[in-house]
Amino acid sequence: MYRITVHGDDRIAKIEPDLYGHFSEHIGGVFYDGIWVGEDSKIPNIRGLRLELVEKLKAIGAPVIRWPGGCFAETYDWRDGIGPREERPTRINWWRNSDGRYEPNSVGTHEFVDFCRLVGAEPYIAANITSLTPLDIRDWMDYCNSPAGTTTLAREREKNGSREPLNVKYWGVGNETWGGGGNMTGEMYAHEYRKYAVIMENADPHAQLICSGADHNDWRWAHDVLGVLESSYRIMNGFSLHFYCGAAGDPLAFSEEEWYKQLRQALDIERAIQRNWGFVVGYGMEKRARLVIDEWGCWHPGGSGPSSHMKDYGIEPAPNNPEGVQNLFEQQSTMRDGIVAAATLNMFNNHAEKIKMATVAQLVNNLHCLFLAGGPYCITTPTYHVFDMMKDHMGGDALRISGDLGEITREQEDRRRNYSVPNLSVSASKKDGVLTLTLANLSVTEAADVKLNLSCLEAAPEAEYITFTADDPHAHNTYEEPDKVHLTRETKTFDGSVTVPAFSAVTVRVRAE
Ligand code: AHR
């Protein structure tokens, strides 16, 4: 029995809804034909966007979507993606050397913002500072945000269908600038950042600017970038962090050991959050900037997704993929990926005071995706269901938890390589008089009996229990069996006792004052 106390009088911070955000890059099958099917498609669509995906994303309250990359952003010129679609140029996509596809520019700024607005999400644009100038980015901001009829670019926007400003609030100043985004040193990037940021702030004083931060535990990067910017520097609203976990076996046929190795890697994001936040605070920037974890998730070897046998499903490849090459980085997701998602979102809730935004990579047909879609098919993955079951944490007040979360130790031949994971990952929040608790059981073999103690909270006699479980940790959804992994919901007596099945998660929602 695990005894856990929720401290109703110990508020950590508001859980920004943007912690439950998404990332959609022009890569593989994310946009073509995951999200964009085209207005003339037989697939139900709204202005060219896959209707089923739009509706399902809206249903989980997706708060923010990052675009157009990732690495794709490094060679993206926004001007290619505006104006009549049939006149837009086809360009070499950043990822062409990996999957042979070219960029048709059918999706540009208008289509992306339309997608966000249909879903109810805020657009977050990653600006290309590798191969565009500060003036180009100023013009992009002018095009998006200047009031109707004011500038030449606002009038061009109107000609292209949007009289009113697109009101893009979030702007990334480069992506992975230590790698594909210019291959810079921390000091070099910090000087570039100052140059771009001052122009961008001048173009739109309401814009929120995100500085390109570290990869995993690259403390040197945080030290070097923030060291140049220093506490007197004011034009920065977020410091990004990218954290992928992988290399733990086959995405579908992993062993018990690989289950735990994957979770161990995923949980290490906590150290990266704490260390990077330490630099933000250390350089005195915590009043202005919080962490933006704008790429996170499991990165398994590609090839396990349905696009590896598109022809068997009778799926017509997207127009920019005439050979029907499988989608780059597309991977299947099992209960293991779902539990990684639940444990990571719990972590974000528990560190709510440090994090401004997080966008899981990536939305569809890619790494740690919420959807797999091709031709007429559009299914949700276990990760989608985890975002669904945890959506009520968005905007709530994160509450401190204490108690025994257990420990699973994995003995290795070389004892120095022993490692452990907690049995349980837990977070709690309160919003509008309702307490929401998510408990993920990291054990792949044992159910966990939990006794909850609510301190300074009086709970109602009944609660809603949302359960994410399956009969096998390898369970996943396919085009043939799209609902193998799903959620169950029941309302029953609340007495503080919760049983979380092995490799599963439970969200409890109860009125509590
Ligand atoms: O998400 C795939 C790629 O991973 C992104 O383009 C890049 O930013 C990261 O390295």
Side-chain angles (χ1 to χ4, degrees):
M1 174 78 73
Y2 299 93
R3 292 181 187 279
I4 293 169
T5 298
V6 179
H7 298 272
D9 59 345
D10 196 352
R11 174 186 181 272
I12 301 170
K14 177 183 169 188
I15 298 171
E16 296 295 345
D18 288 350
L19 264 49
Y20 287 69
H22 304 279
F23 171 38
S24 60
E25 180 172 4
H26 286 233
I27 180 175
V30 175
F31 266 95
Y32 313 109
D33 69 336
I35 300 170
W36 179 261
V37 294
E39 286 167 312
D40 301 331
S41 173
K42 289 198 288 285
I43 297 158
N45 68 83
I46 174 158
R47 298 192 285 276
L49 299 156
R50 190 184 278 277
L51 183 62
E52 195 175 343
L53 188 137
V54 167
E55 283 172 348
K56 286 186 170 149
L57 203 49
K58 192 172 174 187
I60 58 169
V64 61
I65 306 175
R66 179 175 183 244
W67 173 87
C71 293
F72 174 82
E74 325 303 0
T75 54
Y76 181 64
D77 185 345
W78 65 274
R79 287 179 183 277
D80 291 343
I82 57 170
R85 232 172 266 128
E86 58 290 355
E87 289 170 23
R88 296 183 192 173
T90 296
R91 301 278 187 213
I92 294 173
N93 178 322
W94 171 274
W95 296 104
R96 184 209 36 166
N97 294 337
S98 309
D99 66 6
R101 299 185 197 185
Y102 291 86
E103 174 54 45
N105 283 300
S106 313
V107 171
T109 305
H110 288 266
E111 291 79 9
F112 168 65
V113 174
D114 193 25
F115 173 49
C116 292
R117 299 299 177 210
L118 285 169
V119 163
E122 282 297 325
Y124 166 19
I125 289 183
N128 165 10
I129 69 155
T130 313
S131 48
L132 290 185
T133 66
L135 205 54
D136 295 320
I137 306 303
R138 185 219 43 192
D139 287 350
W140 198 358
M141 297 178 86
D142 175 1
Y143 183 85
C144 289
N145 292 350
S146 288
T150 54
T151 65
T152 301
L153 285 167
R155 282 194 288 275
E156 189 176 351
R157 180 188 71 221
E158 182 172 352
K159 219 169 62 202
N160 291 333
S162 298
R163 179 175 157 71
E164 295 311 318
L166 302 176
N167 290 329
V168 178
K169 185 165 73 175
Y170 299 121
W171 294 85
V173 185
N175 168 71
E176 296 194 349
T177 45
W178 36 262
N183 210 355
M184 299 184 226
T185 63
E187 284 95 345
M188 274 170 76
Y189 171 63
H191 291 292
E192 286 295 295
Y193 181 86
R194 293 177 79 107
K195 189 168 76 186
Y196 279 81
V198 75
I199 303 293
M200 290 168 80
E201 193 213 27
N202 180 268
D204 181 354
H206 302 294
Q208 300 264 304
L209 303 187
I210 321 295
C211 178
S212 164
D215 183 27
H216 287 77
N217 298 327
D218 182 0
W219 318 130
R220 183 90 223 159
W221 182 265
H223 169 272
D224 291 352
V225 173
L226 297 177
V228 171
L229 298 180
E230 286 184 357
S231 55
S232 59
Y233 190 77
R234 39 165 208 96
I235 319 173
M236 189 174 113
N237 308 98
F239 187 62
S240 87
L241 165 68
H242 286 186
F243 193 97
Y244 287 104
C245 55
D250 185 282
L252 293 171
F254 51 86
S255 65
E256 184 172 318
E257 192 60 51
E258 287 160 349
W259 164 277
Y260 289 111
K261 281 199 169 139
Q262 179 76 61
L263 286 168
R264 185 57 268 159
Q265 290 179 32
L267 295 171
D268 284 343
I269 198 173
E270 184 160 40
R271 194 162 153 253
I273 292 170
Q274 282 166 330
R275 268 316 278 281
N276 279 286
W277 180 244
F279 281 103
V280 174
V281 176
Y283 283 105
M285 301 174 98
E286 75 279 9
K287 294 267 180 323
R288 285 183 288 276
R290 284 190 286 159
L291 298 178
V292 171
I293 306 170
D294 50 15
E295 291 187 30
W296 69 269
C298 296
W299 191 317
H300 304 303
S304 59
S307 70
S308 55
H309 36 281
M310 284 185 213
K311 289 206 179 85
D312 300 343
Y313 290 113
I315 295 174
E316 284 288 312
N320 70 334
N321 181 24
E323 306 293 319
V325 177
Q326 72 182 42
N327 294 328
L328 186 65
F329 300 155
E330 183 184 274
Q331 53 184 52
Q332 257 294 3
S333 296
T334 62
M335 292 299 291
R336 181 173 67 158
D337 302 276
I339 294 300
V340 166
T344 306
L345 294 174
N346 274 340
M347 200 102 75
F348 294 168
N349 291 346
N350 289 329
H351 290 282
E353 81 284 17
K354 306 179 183 72
I355 315 172
K356 177 188 177 69
M357 185 197 290
T359 56
V360 61
Q362 298 201 14
L363 190 57
V364 48
N365 297 336
N366 203 267
L367 310 168
H368 213 151
C369 50
L370 278 78
F371 299 93
L372 290 165
Y377 299 95
C378 179
I379 61 167
T380 50
T381 66
T383 300
Y384 175 89
H385 295 297
V386 168
F387 271 76
D388 190 10
M389 81 187 292
M390 295 184 70
K391 64 177 183 245
D392 291 305
H393 288 293
M394 285 192 271
D397 284 333
L399 298 178
R400 195 89 50 199
I401 298 276
S402 65
D404 171 26
L405 300 178
E407 184 168 272
I408 302 167
T409 301
R410 301 297 298 178
E411 309 277 347
Q412 307 294 297
E413 224 165 86
D414 173 357
R415 291 184 53 207
R416 285 169 306 178
R417 295 192 183 280
N418 286 0
Y419 65 95
S420 60
V421 297
N423 244 111
L424 287 167
S425 148
V426 187
S427 74
S429 64
K430 198 169 158 238
K431 186 172 66 179
D432 303 329
V434 176
L435 175 69
T436 302
L437 263 145
T438 298
L439 305 106
N441 184 356
L442 275 50
S443 168
V444 76
T445 50
E446 311 292 328
D449 290 322
V450 180
K451 187 73 188 165
L452 296 168
N453 167 38
L454 306 188
S455 158
C456 301
L457 287 168
E458 195 68 51
E462 283 203 324
E464 183 190 15
Y465 293 77
I466 309 169
T467 304
F468 168 70
T469 190
D471 53 6
D472 186 323
H474 304 95
H476 55 282
N477 293 337
T478 61
Y479 288 165
E480 291 84 2
E481 288 185 285
D483 293 316
K484 204 146 187 208
V485 179
H486 59 270
L487 301 180
T488 60
R489 293 169 196 270
E490 61 177 330
T491 299
K492 58 182 190 191
T493 307
F494 179 77
D495 63 1
S497 305
V498 189
T499 296
V500 191
F503 56 83
S504 300
V506 176
T507 290
V508 183
R509 300 192 66 237
V510 61
R511 289 211 74 79
E513 295 296 349

